[in-house]
Amino acid sequence: MPPRKSANTPRKTPAQSRAVLSRSDISLTAVDTADFTELAAHLCNTPAAFVAVMSDDKILFRATRGFRASQDSQLNTLCARVIAKNALLQIPDTIAAGITPALVTTPKKRAVRFYSGVPFPIAGGTLTGVLGVLGFQPQRLDKAARAALILLGRQLAAVFQRDHYRDKLSEADAKLKRHSLFNSVRARASQVISTSRDVHTMLQAICDVAAQHGDIRVAFVSRPDSRGVFRFIAQAGAIEYLKELELHVDPNHPLGISPIPIVWRTGKPFFAGSFRRTRELRHWRTLAQKHGLNSSATVPIFRSGQVWATLTAHLGNEHRFDAESQAVLTELSLNVSRGMSRIDADRREHELIELQHTLLDHTLAGILIKRRRRIVTANRRFAELLGIPGAEELTGRSTRIIYPDEAEYARIEKLYPQLLLDKTVRAMDVRIKRADGSTLMCDVAAGLVGGAHDGTSVWTFVDVTERVRLQERLSHEALHDALTNLPNRRALNEYFPRAFARARRNNRAGAVCIIDLDGFKAVNDKYGHKAGDELLLEFTKRMSRLMRTGDTIARLGGDEFVLIFEDLTVDGLDAQLGALMDRLHRAVEDAFSVGRNMSAVIGMSGGICCYPCEDLDFDSVFLKADAALYAMKVVKTDRTTWWKVDSHSLRDVARASAPRISTGG
């Protein structure tokens, strides 16, 4: 505002003020609606003025001068007439115009006799306001006063427009800060997940990370106990809040309708931008206000395909969880679930190792004594291993009868030189033949008795058939996807270096393609996870039939797959890839059955990176292919092809395969 004039300063007449107004932009100085009412009253030589805006079909008075107006005043009707006319409205005498005089309350309870108002746009024209002047005697604005009121309305619109854009900038800045906050939490949580060896330690560390970031006041992981009451198994931040928080898994229980029980039951994230406006949080508003909590995000944590717990973050400010924020927090949920799966797999592997030691230390072993390849005697356990009634049947017979074929017999024969030299030998996973024709896997140990001239040795056989089968199964599970039985990311990490080496050795090209199924999430949401799993299995069958012999398909998880193409020629590589991708697109050209008389149509997006390139390992190739995939998904609605190849990798492959010119002297 300009500085106030002193009492001795001569006051400008309305005509003088209008002259100044015509030469200046008052929006640079008048920053409050009350200032405009003062100027309007002065310029129009009226005792009262006001600024009103229309919001949700209601007239709201933002500022008044010289009177007090109630929101249900008949003055609203006059403002509505100005807005409808979209031009200056002047009523010189309200009584003569047939308008009830008791419109507003003034200190002297005087009725309005004169009214004039001008509309102005707000927020880019989506709303409308009114700048008006009032008088308590009949009056008519001259041309100069009307022009001044119109100009003042325009200046007021400029101020509102400036405030509108300032609010937009503030909102964009807040959105950027939210995204930065959630991305930071996700990045640090990913580090925790990749290094944790214990589930509880990992969950507590994730809560600690979340509570250390900006506006997140409290973070906690909860799961229900046997009574259906949620317990907090990891927590950080304002944990005093949790001491007063009670939640129940039963949807019919009064404490079972909050986001946490809902996420537990549905397996879907729940984002509440405001405790005040979220119905499911009404029972906890007072408690949240007490601890300065105003918004909430809860995501599920899965274990073995089922919801195992929920991860919740309460924030100090109200937040708009837009699509990007929700995607980041949902990805954090998936990362935590994958971390738990990895920890569980590591635990099972450790338990298997302990089981192996237990078997070796405590299981009764079959014992065989032989001399010069002939059986001298054996114990009952050995007879049980072979499936014969008694060990007596073995006495004097050749040891060849123990083994299923010549190859296994020859393997044991090769141990004798070492046995004679070291007095002891061991062999793992030796196959022995049972009487019914089946085979057992045994760990075998032998010790030489007496001197080499005697040739007597004691052999122990420990049945490890189940261990070997378990190892084979776990090895298979570790390298294959549980649903589709396709190779997984770990298998790709082992396979790709060999594919890379073959391409270099044979001067051929290859490519890694990451595929994402478009529309798969909608199928899951509409028809359920079982239908989604059936779709993935059918998609796997179709793709496997379309793949070339020698190429590889793997599943990363969810609806992401990886293809590795080998034995491509460097010349015309782009055309070869085009033919391959056109062929593979047939996999989604027919609808997928998702239930009785129901079908769904999905699409694909693909990103490709070619190899071999200089200084490029699998992770680098994978990231380039993923970036190409992301670029395709961004333009999914108006693209001409469903896949994109990383152009740099095409050039690098061509350069890497170019013949090198020797410059030797």
Side-chain angles (χ1 to χ4, degrees):
M1 283 294 297
R4 299 285 186 185
K5 294 182 180 299
S6 67
N8 297 325
T9 302
R11 184 179 177 86
K12 289 182 179 180
T13 66
Q16 291 173 326
S17 296
R18 288 194 291 270
V20 173
L21 178 65
S22 65
R23 299 191 306 271
S24 63
D25 183 0
I26 65 164
S27 67
L28 298 177
T29 56
V31 295
D32 189 273
T33 50
D35 300 323
F36 283 93
T37 60
E38 181 180 354
L39 282 168
H42 181 63
L43 292 170
C44 295
N45 197 24
T46 61
F50 65 89
V51 173
V53 297
M54 174 173 280
S55 177
D56 297 328
D57 296 327
K58 295 180 180 179
I59 301 295
L60 303 177
F61 289 93
R62 292 286 296 271
T64 61
R65 176 178 177 80
F67 73 100
R68 293 190 303 274
S70 62
Q71 297 301 339
D72 58 353
S73 167
Q74 292 186 33
L75 188 58
N76 297 0
T77 304
L78 296 178
C79 292
R81 288 174 61 180
V82 174
I83 293 173
K85 184 180 179 182
N86 197 27
L88 184 140
L89 173 67
Q90 181 175 202
I91 302 176
D93 189 341
T94 58
I95 294 179
I99 299 174
T100 303
L103 294 173
V104 297
T105 302
T106 67
K108 297 182 179 180
K109 298 183 179 180
R110 301 167 65 188
V112 173
R113 293 291 301 276
F114 164 74
Y115 173 92
S116 183
V118 62
F120 60 88
I122 301 174
T126 59
L127 298 174
T128 305
V130 176
L131 172 63
V133 291
L134 307 174
F136 306 114
Q137 298 294 332
Q139 181 180 341
R140 182 181 296 275
L141 297 181
D142 59 20
K143 181 178 181 180
R146 292 196 303 272
L149 188 61
I150 292 172
L151 179 56
L152 195 59
R154 292 172 183 169
Q155 301 294 349
L156 183 57
V159 171
F160 273 94
Q161 188 76 353
R162 178 200 62 194
D163 292 343
H164 170 70
Y165 286 119
R166 182 171 59 196
D167 292 342
K168 288 291 185 182
L169 288 174
S170 177
E171 181 180 340
D173 181 62
K175 180 179 179 181
L176 181 62
K177 289 179 179 178
R178 286 197 302 271
H179 292 170
S180 176
L181 166 65
F182 297 140
N183 277 303
S184 178
V185 171
R186 178 184 60 176
R188 288 196 59 191
S190 295
Q191 295 176 349
V192 169
I193 292 168
S194 65
T195 57
S196 296
R197 295 292 177 265
D198 172 77
V199 168
H200 182 268
T201 302
M202 178 185 73
L203 296 178
Q204 183 58 51
I206 290 172
C207 290
D208 292 338
V209 165
Q212 292 169 4
H213 279 69
D215 195 36
I216 298 179
R217 301 291 178 84
V218 60
F220 55 95
V221 177
S222 51
R223 70 183 257 108
D225 59 18
S226 59
R227 298 180 297 112
V229 178
F230 279 86
R231 301 301 179 195
F232 309 112
I233 59 177
Q235 53 194 287
I239 60 176
E240 295 81 6
Y241 163 76
L242 302 179
K243 297 176 182 178
E244 304 178 61
L245 184 63
E246 184 177 353
L247 304 168
H248 204 283
V249 73
D250 185 359
N252 297 317
H253 194 283
L255 301 178
I257 59 171
S258 76
I260 292 173
I262 291 174
V263 171
W264 171 266
R265 294 191 296 266
T266 65
K268 297 180 180 180
F270 193 106
F271 301 98
S274 170
F275 268 82
R276 294 183 298 108
R277 293 190 293 269
T278 303
R279 185 178 63 87
E280 292 83 354
L281 290 169
R282 60 184 181 273
H283 291 306
W284 293 269
R285 287 170 185 161
T286 302
L287 177 61
Q289 184 179 13
K290 174 182 175 182
H291 293 276
L293 309 176
N294 287 289
S295 58
S296 173
T298 300
V299 294
I301 297 175
F302 292 91
R303 194 174 193 178
S304 300
Q306 302 293 327
V307 178
W308 183 81
T310 62
L311 172 62
T312 302
H314 288 335
L315 290 77
N317 293 316
E318 292 189 353
H319 279 264
R320 289 180 56 193
F321 292 99
D322 55 19
E324 184 174 347
S325 298
Q326 293 185 23
V328 171
L329 293 173
T330 302
E331 183 180 350
L332 173 60
S333 162
L334 295 175
N335 289 342
V336 174
S337 301
R338 294 186 187 113
M340 295 189 66
S341 297
R342 177 188 57 78
I343 291 173
D344 288 342
D346 291 344
R347 177 180 52 79
R348 288 195 299 268
E349 185 175 352
H350 179 71
E351 290 173 351
L352 174 61
I353 293 173
E354 290 186 342
L355 175 62
Q356 292 172 356
H357 288 300
T358 301
L359 289 171
L360 292 174
D361 291 340
H362 298 91
T363 302
L364 294 176
I367 301 175
L368 175 73
I369 300 175
K370 61 181 178 177
R371 183 182 297 116
R372 298 185 182 92
R373 281 66 166 179
R374 291 284 172 176
I375 299 173
V376 176
T377 187
N379 70 347
R380 184 175 61 182
R381 175 58 179 159
F382 188 74
E384 293 174 354
L385 290 176
L386 295 185
I388 59 178
E392 302 81 13
E393 298 183 17
L394 300 172
T395 302
R397 303 186 67 177
S398 169
T399 56
R400 171 65 183 83
I401 66 168
I402 300 173
Y403 307 104
D405 51 43
E406 289 294 332
E408 200 70 6
Y409 179 60
R411 177 188 173 193
I412 298 300
E413 287 292 297
K414 291 179 181 179
L415 297 176
Y416 278 94
Q418 182 184 351
L419 177 61
L420 295 174
L421 180 64
D422 298 332
K423 311 299 183 184
T424 182
V425 292
R426 291 180 179 274
M428 304 289 289
D429 302 336
V430 176
R431 290 180 295 126
I432 65 172
K433 183 177 67 175
R434 289 174 54 82
D436 61 4
S438 62
T439 59
L440 292 179
M441 302 295 291
C442 291
D443 285 349
V444 178
L448 191 63
V449 179
H453 62 281
D454 184 47
T456 301
S457 54
V458 177
W459 294 71
T460 59
F461 292 78
V462 177
D463 183 4
V464 294
T465 305
E466 291 302 318
R467 184 198 72 188
V468 171
R469 290 174 181 170
L470 183 59
Q471 286 176 326
E472 292 173 349
R473 180 168 62 83
L474 289 178
S475 297
H476 182 85
E477 291 178 353
L479 297 175
H480 291 79
D481 174 60
L483 175 65
T484 62
N485 204 34
L486 291 175
N488 59 16
R489 176 62 184 267
R490 180 183 290 184
L492 288 178
N493 288 338
E494 295 181 6
Y495 176 84
F496 183 75
R498 297 194 294 271
F500 197 97
R502 284 193 293 272
R504 283 191 179 280
R505 185 169 58 250
N506 300 327
N507 196 29
R508 305 287 283 182
V512 172
C513 174
I514 302 178
I515 287 178
D516 185 271
L517 302 184
D518 300 329
F520 176 75
K521 183 180 183 300
V523 173
N524 253 351
D525 292 343
K526 184 174 182 179
Y527 301 105
H529 289 288
K530 183 178 180 181
D533 288 348
E534 292 296 329
L535 187 151
L536 291 175
L537 288 171
E538 177 61 23
F539 175 79
T540 299
K541 292 178 183 177
R542 295 184 186 182
M543 288 294 287
S544 298
R545 289 195 294 265
L546 294 170
M547 295 284 288
R548 301 181 310 163
T549 301
D551 291 344
T552 300
I553 178 173
R555 183 186 180 211
L556 292 182
D559 60 347
E560 283 196 340
F561 294 79
V562 175
L563 312 177
I564 297 183
F565 304 120
E566 295 194 57
D567 201 30
L568 303 173
T569 60
V570 177
D571 293 332
L573 178 57
D574 200 8
Q576 295 173 74
L577 290 174
L580 281 173
M581 300 305 280
D582 288 344
R583 172 184 172 87
L584 294 177
H585 193 264
R586 299 179 201 165
V588 296
E589 291 176 357
D590 292 329
F592 291 81
S593 175
V594 292
R596 182 178 300 175
N597 300 324
M598 294 185 295
S599 61
V601 177
I602 61 171
M604 292 193 297
S605 296
I608 301 175
C609 179
C610 302
Y611 68 85
C613 307
E614 294 293 336
D615 302 323
L616 205 60
D617 56 11
F618 178 61
D619 286 338
S620 302
V621 172
F622 186 91
L623 288 175
K624 286 180 176 288
D626 193 56
L629 168 64
Y630 179 78
M632 286 307 297
K633 291 188 76 66
V634 169
V635 297
K636 182 167 60 178
T637 56
D638 56 356
R639 66 194 184 189
T640 58
T641 182
W642 68 276
W643 58 277
K644 176 181 176 61
V645 62
D646 179 79
S647 58
H648 296 290
S649 67
L650 279 174
R651 293 194 297 269
D652 291 345
V653 168
R655 186 165 50 248
S657 63
R660 301 181 183 273
I661 301 176
S662 174
T663 58

